[in-house]
Amino acid sequence: VIFMAIKGVRACRAKFKIDSSCSKMRLTCLPTKMNYINCGGGDRMVVKTGQRGRRYCNYERPQFSGSPVLPDTNPVFHTSYINLFLVAPSRRSRARCKIRCVRPIT
């Protein structure tokens, strides 16, 4: 599943629930310069799993193998659901993320 918020979007929210055929899912986002979270303009991207939430700014985001430059940018894994929020009052932020099953039930 692909989550995509383009320039001009004010708010976007998605809740990804795990399917019965999967026991673990992974969230990763593209790290390109096109996908930028303008936190200085009041924008924010939040990924929440269970009670834990993580806010991402600027070029930070959960990447496939993590960033060697930015801390805490490893993929997000969960066994039940992942909530993804993008609030962009400046209308300048963009995000493109992918949710994928990484441990199918056989």
Side-chain angles (χ1 to χ4, degrees):
V1 175
I2 294 179
F3 169 91
M4 192 161 98
I6 59 173
K7 188 175 181 179
V9 170
R10 280 205 158 173
C12 195
R13 177 183 178 176
K15 182 174 185 172
F16 300 96
K17 292 183 181 180
I18 201 157
D19 188 68
S20 61
S21 64
C22 184
S23 65
K24 190 175 195 179
M25 61 183 162
R26 174 184 69 207
L27 168 75
T28 57
C29 298
L30 290 178
T32 63
K33 286 192 176 190
M34 283 181 48
N35 300 306
Y36 176 77
I37 308 301
N38 182 23
C39 289
D43 300 356
R44 63 189 180 277
M45 183 172 98
V46 177
V47 175
K48 190 171 181 184
T49 57
Q51 298 297 320
R52 233 180 86 206
R54 165 78 163 93
R55 181 179 174 163
Y56 294 93
C57 284
N58 306 318
Y59 295 106
E60 294 176 337
R61 61 200 68 258
Q63 298 177 31
F64 184 71
S65 59
S67 169
V69 179
L70 300 171
D72 198 21
T73 56
N74 291 318
V76 174
F77 294 95
H78 207 263
T79 56
S80 60
Y81 70 90
I82 295 175
N83 280 328
L84 184 57
F85 307 93
L86 177 70
V87 178
S90 76
R91 294 185 177 187
R92 298 170 91 184
S93 294
R94 301 176 194 169
R96 182 181 168 115
C97 302
K98 186 187 291 187
I99 307 287
R100 183 176 185 157
C101 178
V102 291
R103 192 179 299 150
I105 296 174
T106 55

